[in-house]
C-alpha cells in the first residue's frame, strides 16, 4: 500500500507536440532513440522530437500503451499485446494482455514488459513471450503510462480531474516523488527518453508533451 509521504513538485512542461493531423486521442508513447512513437487508435505515428514533424506511420490497432525493447515495438491493442517490427510494420507475435482490455501503460525493462492496469490501480510485470504475470505492484491511483529509467520506476496517473507522474519504489509501491500536472492537463501514455525528459501522451488533447525529469538534489 502506498504511503503519501512523497516529495511533490509542479511538472515542468518544456515542449508540446501536436495536435497531430487526423488524431483525436493519444494513448501510449515510446521513444526508440530517434523517434517518439504515439498510439493514436488506428495507427502508430513516429515523429521527430527535434522538429515535431511526423516521420513514420504504421496502420495498426494502437489504443493504449506502447514501448520499445531496443529492436521491436510492443503495442497494447484491446485484449492483446502485439510485438511489431518497426521497419516493416509487421506484427511478429501476439500475447494476451493481463487486464483483458483494461490495460493502459506499457514499458520494457529487465527483459520484461510492465503493464499498467488503469482502474485496478496496479502494474504487472509480465513475461514478453507468454504474457504470464511475474509480479504485481499496487498503486493508489488509476494507472496510465509506465516507464523505467536509470533503474527507477515511474508511472502516470489520471483520476478525476487530476493527473501526475510519480516515482515509486518497485518493491513496495511507495510513492517517492510526484510531478503534478497543471490543471486540465492529463497524462495517458508515458516514456522516458533515457536522459532528462519524459514524453507524456495527452489523451483527448491529441498532443504529446515533453516533461523535464528531476535529476537528484
Amino acid at each position: 500500500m502506498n504511503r503519501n509521504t512523497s516529495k511533490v513538485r509542479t511538472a515542468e512542461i518544456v515542449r508540446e507536440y501536436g495536435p497531430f493531423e487526423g488524431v483525436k486521442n493519444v494513448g501510449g508513447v515510446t521513444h526508440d532513440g530517434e523517434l517518439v512513437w504515439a498510439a493514436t487508435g488506428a495507427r502508430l505515428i513516429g515523429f521527430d522530437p527535434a522538429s515535431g514533424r511526423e516521420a513514420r506511420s504504421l496502420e495498426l490497432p494502437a489504443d493504449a500503451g506502447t514501448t520499445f525493447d531496443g529492436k521491436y515495438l510492443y503495442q497494447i491493442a484491446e485484449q492483446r499485446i502485439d510485438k511489431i517490427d518497426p521497419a516493416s510494420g509487421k506484427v511478429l507475435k501476439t500475447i494476451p494482455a493481463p487486464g483483458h482490455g483494461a490495460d493502459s501503460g506499457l514499458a520494457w525493462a529487465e527483459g520484461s514488459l510492465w503493464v499498467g492496469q488503469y482502474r485496478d490501480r496496479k502494474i504487472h510485470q509480465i513475461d514478453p513471450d507468454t504474457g504470464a504475470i511475474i509480479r504485481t505492484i499496487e498503486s493508489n491511483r488509476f494507472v496510465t503510462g509506465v516507464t523505467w529509467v536509470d533503474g527507477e520506476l515511474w508511472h502516470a496517473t489520471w483520476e478525476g480531474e487530476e493527473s501526475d507522474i510519480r516515482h515509486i519504489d518497485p518493491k513496495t509501491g511507495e510513492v517517492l516523488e510526484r510531478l503534478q500536472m497543471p490543471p486540465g492537463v492529463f497524462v495517458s501514455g508515458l516514456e522516458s527518453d533515457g536522459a532528462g525528459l519524459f514524453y507524456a501522451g495527452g489523451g483527448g488533447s491529441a498532443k504529446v508533451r515533453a516533461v523535464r525529469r528531476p535529476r537528484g538534489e
Side-chain angles (χ1 to χ4, degrees):
M1 181 66 66
N2 293 23
R3 289 173 288 167
N4 198 18
T5 57
S6 56
K7 181 186 300 181
V8 182
R9 66 182 84 192
T10 300
E12 183 184 352
I13 298 171
V14 297
R15 186 165 178 181
E16 289 192 344
Y17 302 94
F20 299 95
E21 185 176 357
V23 172
K24 295 182 179 180
N25 187 77
V26 170
V29 292
T30 195
H31 184 261
D32 68 5
E34 295 183 5
L35 300 180
V36 177
W37 292 86
T40 67
R43 63 190 178 110
L44 263 172
I45 61 171
F47 66 87
D48 179 348
S51 68
R53 287 193 292 269
E54 184 177 327
R56 298 283 311 281
S57 180
L58 303 178
E59 303 296 320
L60 294 164
D63 56 1
T66 313
T67 195
F68 181 69
D69 71 356
K71 186 174 182 180
Y72 300 108
L73 293 165
Y74 291 81
Q75 176 62 53
I76 295 174
E78 295 184 349
Q79 298 188 34
R80 68 181 193 272
I81 300 173
D82 292 335
K83 181 180 181 180
I84 302 161
D85 177 0
S88 67
K90 182 179 179 181
V91 176
L92 304 176
K93 183 182 180 68
T94 293
I95 59 173
H100 309 292
D103 311 271
S104 52
L106 189 63
W108 175 270
E110 302 175 349
S112 297
L113 291 169
W114 302 74
V115 188
Q117 304 292 284
Y118 181 58
R119 291 187 179 276
D120 288 345
R121 302 176 177 174
K122 295 176 180 177
I123 299 168
H124 295 308
Q125 179 187 4
I126 70 168
D127 185 316
D129 293 319
T130 66
I133 295 173
I134 299 169
R135 68 187 179 105
T136 299
I137 301 166
E138 302 278 345
S139 179
N140 62 4
R141 295 270 293 169
F142 289 171
V143 175
T144 55
V146 181
T147 191
W148 281 86
V149 56
D150 294 339
E152 297 177 353
L153 176 59
W154 293 75
H155 77 83
T157 75
W158 182 352
E159 189 167 347
E161 294 301 309
E162 293 185 353
S163 201
D164 66 15
I165 298 170
R166 49 183 60 190
H167 174 201
I168 67 170
D169 185 314
K171 295 181 179 178
T172 66
E174 179 183 354
V175 182
L176 306 175
E177 187 171 6
R178 295 195 299 120
L179 308 179
Q180 189 72 43
M181 300 301 285
V185 177
F186 307 110
V187 182
S188 49
L190 184 70
E191 184 70 287
S192 166
D193 69 348
L197 295 176
F198 293 116
Y199 291 107
S205 71
K207 295 180 179 181
V208 174
R209 297 178 175 93
V211 177
R212 194 173 306 283
R213 177 168 73 97
R215 303 295 293 274
E217 296 192 350

